[in-house]
């Protein structure tokens, strides 16, 4: 867009801001639409997320109800089936009340039909088990109260449910306590169900119901969120649960939940979790026929995890969509902004053109297309002496009637006709007749159709320029050819000039830096205080000297020594700043390298020793003294051999010499001797330093003390292969020795025996006297076992109170038996722990190689099975492994029992 041809009045310039404000209205509208769009998308995402959340909770509650109903149906049908079979016993066996054996056979047959029964028993009037499908239950007196439903004792035909028990059956179980025990519940146990048959009222039939039978199918029907099913009696007692943190026998809390469930019977609820960290979704259903109900719960937080993932995905999609929409509307906003910027630039150009027209020292005249003057600037009136009214309407150069224009004006108009522009030197005449030599430049101003509408002529007075040309050329040569960088900036500041050396030093071209702020060179590594001090001096009109760390165009850093001074005009105003700068990067690098090298050598934790070509010590650092104990004064001029530990390093010395000759470098470890005579290990790196001719001038040895590391490695090796309590070989070392022993054995001449020993009565020591006493007992037993085997045998601790004894090179079984007898006798000797005399026994299982197995795992497993047979056979004995022992544990190859253990005095405790 062309510049205006005359100055704009200030009022007119002020009025241009009104269209500018109007033009900003569409921009504000677009920004407002973008905000509304963002709010709409956010509201849509929120509403969708809330709907998905409600849907996830509703689906889980529905699923919980279905699972609760399914489990309640399964349990009810199972107990109805049990009731039906028990009632059918009398019909199938009319003489049941008088034939106990017939009742037992019927109960055994019934247990085989119903897989959820652990045992079926019959109790007499005193509560003693007189008939049971599990022989171990016989003779036990059971206390089953309280039983639900609450009816008159002895009422026939009613299934009643008792308090849950832990264990496999009544023989090895006990009622679950009402208080919560620490730790997870790994044994769901069982619970009793009783029935009195009308045909045999003298007996109370008791069924031990296997809780795991109902727990496992419930676990397989889980959704993504875990659903924990619990079965409670109507009094709130937990019979069994799928959750490991719920203990049977505890009471449902708080009491209000139980009342709510019993009142509504079927329904759902949301309750606070026991730890108060969230809420539980719950579904419950009471049994239609029996006094218990099913409660299914799941943490609401787990249910909402898929919803959270969906919400994140939805939010991401919405964000991407919104971003795309914002980009489109942003592009439209940018176009509006660009139009506004062009308009503002045009207005600024108009203002600047008016200012230049009015205040420039050049003579400016504007003509129409015929070359007649329309207006001139004040400098024209002052330079030629004609007023604007005197020249208005006249052609250029024809200022006085009767006087022709200068001779080269004909050439001027010819050039304008062909090129639209002309420039050259002309001789004008002032109003007083004196000549004026100047440089005239004329340009045509065209409209949007390309037609000439005006001509603008600018005449520059060359009189002073020619006078100062020589001086300027001298100064220019000095600055241009200076070996130091010279930069002149404005007060803004912006770079207005830089000499060639500046561009060579920085790597920038003039187009890249001229007009830009000098901070383009900043690297960020010059302290802010330096810039603050510089500007304080310059603002005070003083010269500043200092150093900068700047960055070249290629990114490399360099250091400059700079002198910056203000340039002051005749009025005392600072118009520019001039900087004279010298690159001192190489000089600084050399100084820093020397300081760094000295600092590193002095402060490093590694010892440093420098030797000359004759291998005499010429320098050491403080770490050398700390590691070796020798001061610099004690070792300077001496050979490094004064540190040697002697023959321990003979091979290292040979390797070192060969490596230094071949490669000039060696790395390895030495054993040396300190000044006090103590040995220490070092990790050493040796390098040779050569001159330009390749001759060795110095040797540099950098080393660190690794003595502690070597000791730690030895300790770790001990921990990896030995039990930390008993100091016996552990499983790893046992496996290694067993593999070696099997490789050495000669089947024709010798056997190898693996003896698996488990202490009898060790748990009682732990329970009675504490774990410290138990640990002390294990150590004493370990020492006794080691004392009763040969030196080439191995005693290892398998874990807990289990030991494995490896007997090598047995000529016959008798030798193995004698050794086993010695070991059992050694273990059963009285032991004093923590001031108490205790006595334990042991059971040993023996597997032989090669007849029982050819690998370590098989031998250990067979020996373990044989040990189990020894325990089953009465303990305090050894048992040889026999094939088929797993299927028929009662027929081992050989079992030898020791004499029964008895206390030797009243103060001695027998624990077996």
């Amino acid at each position: 867009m062309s510049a205006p041809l005359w100055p704009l009045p200030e009022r007119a310039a002020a009025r241009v801001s009104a269209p500018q404000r109007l033009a900003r209205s569409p921009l504000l509208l677009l920004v407002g639409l973008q905000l509304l769009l963002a709010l709409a998308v956010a509201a849509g995402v929120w509403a969708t997320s809330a709907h998905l959340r409600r849907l996830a909770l509703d689906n889980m509650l529905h699923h919980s109800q279905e699972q609760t109903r399914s489990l309640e149906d399964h349990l009810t049908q199972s107990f109805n089936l049990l009731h039906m079979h028990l009632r059918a016993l009398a019909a199938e066996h009319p003489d049941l009340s008088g034939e106990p054996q017939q009742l037992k056979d019927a109960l055994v047959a019934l247990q085989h039909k119903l897989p959820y029964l652990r045992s079926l028993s019959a109790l007499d009037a005193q509560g003693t088990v007189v008939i049971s499908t599990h022989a171990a239950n016989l003779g036990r007196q059971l206390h089953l109260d309280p039983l639900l439903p609450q009816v008159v004792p002895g009422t026939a035909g009613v299934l009643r449910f008792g308090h849950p028990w832990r264990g496999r059956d009544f023989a090895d179980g006990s009622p679950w306590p009402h208080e919560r025990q620490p730790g997870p519940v790994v044994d769901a146990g069982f619970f009793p169900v009783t029935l009195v048959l009308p045909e045999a009222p003298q007996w109370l039939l008791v069924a031990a119901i296997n809780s795991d039978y109902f727990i496992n199918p419930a676990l397989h029907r889980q959704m993504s969120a875990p659903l924990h099913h619990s079965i409670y009696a109507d009094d709130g007692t937990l019979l069994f649960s799928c959750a490991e943190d719920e203990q049977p026998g505890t009471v449902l809390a708080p009491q209000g939940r139980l009342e709510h469930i019993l009142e509504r019977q079927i329904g759902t609820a949301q309750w606070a979790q026991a730890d108060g960290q969230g809420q539980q979704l719950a579904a419950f259903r009471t049994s239609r026929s029996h006094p218990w109900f099913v409660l299914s719960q799941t943490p609401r937080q787990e249910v909402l995890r898929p919803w959270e993932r969906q919400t994140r995905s939805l939010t991401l999609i919405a964000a991407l969509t919104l971003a795309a929409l914002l980009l489109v509307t942003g592009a439209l906003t940018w176009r509006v902004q660009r139009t506004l910027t062009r308009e503002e630039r045009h207005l600024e150009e108009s203002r600047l053109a008016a200012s230049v027209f009015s205040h420039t020292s050049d003579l400016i005249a504007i003509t129409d297309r015929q070359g007649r003057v329309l207006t001139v600037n004040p400098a024209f009136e002052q330079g030629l002496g004609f007023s604007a009214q005197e020249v208005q309407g006249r052609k250029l150069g024809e200022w006085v009637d009767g006087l022709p224009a200068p001779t080269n004006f004909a050439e001027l108009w010819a050039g304008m006709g062909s090129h639209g522009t002309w420039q050259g030197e002309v001789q004008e005449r002032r109003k007083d007749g004196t000549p004026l030599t100047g440089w005239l430049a004329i340009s045509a101003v065209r409209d949007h159709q390309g037609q000439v509408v005006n001509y603008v002529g600018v005449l520059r007075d060359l009189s002073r320029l020619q006078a100062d040309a020589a001086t300027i050329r001298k100064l220019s040569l000095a600055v241009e050819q200076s070996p130091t960088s010279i930069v002149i900036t404005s007060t803004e500041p912006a770079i207005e000039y830089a000499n060639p050396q500046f561009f060579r030093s920085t790597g920038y071209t003039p187009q890249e830096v001229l007009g830009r702020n000098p901070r383009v060179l900043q690297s960020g590594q010059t302290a802010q205080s330096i810039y603050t001090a510089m500007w304080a001096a310059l603002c005070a009109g003083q010269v500043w000297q200092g150093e900068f760390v700047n960055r070249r165009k290629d990114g490399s850093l360099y250091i400059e020594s700079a002198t910056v001074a203000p340039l002051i005009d005749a009025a005392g105003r600072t118009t520019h700043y001039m900087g004279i700068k010298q690159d001192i990067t190489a000089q600084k690098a050399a100084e820093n390298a020397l300081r760094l090298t000295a600092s590193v050598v002095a402060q490093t934790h590694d010892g440093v020793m420098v030797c000359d070509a004759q291998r005499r010590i010429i320098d050491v650092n403080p770490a050398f003294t700390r590691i070796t104990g020798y001061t610099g004064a004690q070792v300077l001029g001496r050979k490094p051999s004064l540190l040697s530990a002697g023959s321990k390093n003979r091979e290292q010395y040979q390797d070192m010499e060969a490596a230094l000759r071949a490669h000039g470098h060696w790395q390895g470890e030495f054993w040396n001797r300190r000044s006090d005579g103590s040995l220490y290990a070092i990790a050493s790196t040796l390098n040779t330093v050569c001159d330009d001719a390749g001759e060795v001038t110095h040797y540099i040895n950098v080393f660190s003390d690794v003595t502690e590391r070597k000791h730690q490695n030895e300790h770790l090796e001990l921990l990896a292969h030995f039990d930390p309590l008993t100091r016996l070989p552990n499983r790893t070392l046992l496996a290694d020795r067993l593999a070696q022993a099997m490789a050495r054995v000669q089947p024709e001449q010798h056997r190898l025996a693996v003896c698996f020993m488990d202490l009898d009565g060790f748990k009682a020591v732990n329970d009675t006297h504490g774990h410290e006493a138990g640990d002390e007992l294990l150590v004493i037993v370990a020492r006794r076992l080691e004392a009763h085997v040969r030196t080439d045998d191995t005693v290892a601790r398998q874990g807990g109170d289990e030991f494995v004894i490896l007997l090598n090179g047995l000529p016959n079984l008798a030798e193995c038996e004698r050794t086993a007898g010695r070991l059992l006798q050694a273990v059963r000797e009285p032991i004093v722990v923590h001031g108490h005399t205790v006595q334990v026994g042991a059971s040993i299982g023996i597997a032989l190689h090669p007849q029982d197995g050819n690998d370590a795992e098989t031998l250990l497993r067979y020996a373990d099975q044989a040990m189990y047979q020894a325990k089953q056979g009465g303990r305090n004995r050894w048992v040889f492994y026999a094939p088929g022992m797993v299927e028929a544990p009662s027929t081992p190859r050989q079992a030898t029992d020791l004499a029964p253990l008895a206390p030797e005095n009243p103060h001695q405790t027998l624990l077996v």
Side-chain angles (χ1 to χ4, degrees), residues 538-725:
L538 294 179
C539 292
Q542 301 173 355
V543 177
W544 177 86
Q545 290 182 328
E547 295 179 358
F548 296 126
V549 179
N550 284 340
R551 190 182 302 277
R552 296 186 178 90
K553 178 182 177 181
D554 61 5
S556 61
L557 300 178
Y558 67 102
I559 304 175
E560 286 184 324
S561 174
T563 299
V564 184
L567 300 182
I568 303 174
D569 62 9
R573 295 188 300 267
T574 298
T575 61
H576 295 81
Y577 299 110
M578 179 179 68
I580 301 175
K581 303 189 290 183
Q582 182 71 36
D583 188 346
I584 59 172
T585 307
Q587 175 184 342
K588 284 289 184 181
E591 294 175 359
N592 291 337
L594 289 175
R595 283 196 298 269
L596 179 62
T597 300
S599 176
V600 168
V601 172
Q603 298 182 22
T604 181
H605 289 286
D606 293 339
V608 178
M609 178 177 65
V610 182
C611 299
D612 59 15
Q614 288 72 39
R615 302 190 180 184
R616 291 188 296 266
I617 301 174
I618 61 174
D619 194 15
V620 295
N621 70 337
F624 175 93
T625 300
R626 177 176 53 80
I627 296 173
T628 67
Y630 289 99
T631 64
Q634 292 174 311
V635 299
L636 293 182
R638 302 182 65 181
K639 296 278 188 177
S641 57
L642 71 95
L643 305 174
S644 175
S647 60
K648 293 175 69 69
N649 302 315
R650 183 174 293 111
E651 294 183 2
Q652 287 89 334
Y653 288 148
Q654 296 173 355
D655 295 341
M656 179 192 72
E657 294 293 342
L660 291 178
R661 286 192 298 270
H663 310 292
H665 172 81
W666 180 83
Q667 190 171 15
E669 294 185 355
F670 280 134
W671 279 99
N672 281 348
R673 194 178 301 277
R674 295 187 178 90
S675 60
D676 60 4
S678 62
L679 293 177
Y680 65 99
I682 61 169
S684 177
T685 300
L686 261 70
N687 289 282
T688 59
V689 180
C690 300
D691 56 18
D692 294 339
E695 297 295 330
V696 176
T697 60
H698 294 85
Y699 296 91
I700 300 177
N701 183 7
V702 180
F703 60 91
S704 58
D705 189 344
V706 296
T707 310
E708 183 64 24
R709 187 187 70 191
K710 283 186 170 291
H711 292 163
Q712 289 177 352
N713 290 341
E714 294 173 357
H715 181 64
L716 290 176
E717 182 70 18
L718 177 64
L719 293 179
H721 293 92
F722 290 88
D723 175 52
L725 175 64

Side-chain angles (χ1 to χ4, degrees), residues 148-149 161 231-237 239 255 258-259 261-262 285-287 290-294:
L148 294 179
F161 294 78
I231 311 302
Y232 286 90
D234 282 353
D235 62 355
T237 301
L239 298 180
Q255 184 65 25
L258 177 62
E259 297 173 355
I261 292 172
L262 295 179
R285 188 181 184 94
T286 60
S287 174
H290 305 290
W292 46 260
F293 60 88
V294 180

Side-chain angles (χ1 to χ4, degrees), residues 727-764:
R727 296 297 179 179
L728 293 176
N730 59 11
R731 294 170 182 259
T732 303
L733 185 55
L734 172 65
D736 181 64
R737 291 189 179 179
L738 182 54
Q740 294 180 13
M742 287 191 295
R744 293 194 306 266
V745 72
Q746 298 180 2
E748 304 83 7
Q749 301 177 5
H750 298 92
R751 292 183 178 88
L752 174 67
V754 177
C755 304
F756 200 107
M757 173 185 286
D758 185 88
L759 298 182
D760 298 329
F762 176 73
K763 183 177 183 302

Side-chain angles (χ1 to χ4, degrees), residues 78 113 131 138 266 827 902:
S78 299
K113 292 180 182 180
I131 300 172
L138 294 176
I266 299 175
V827 169

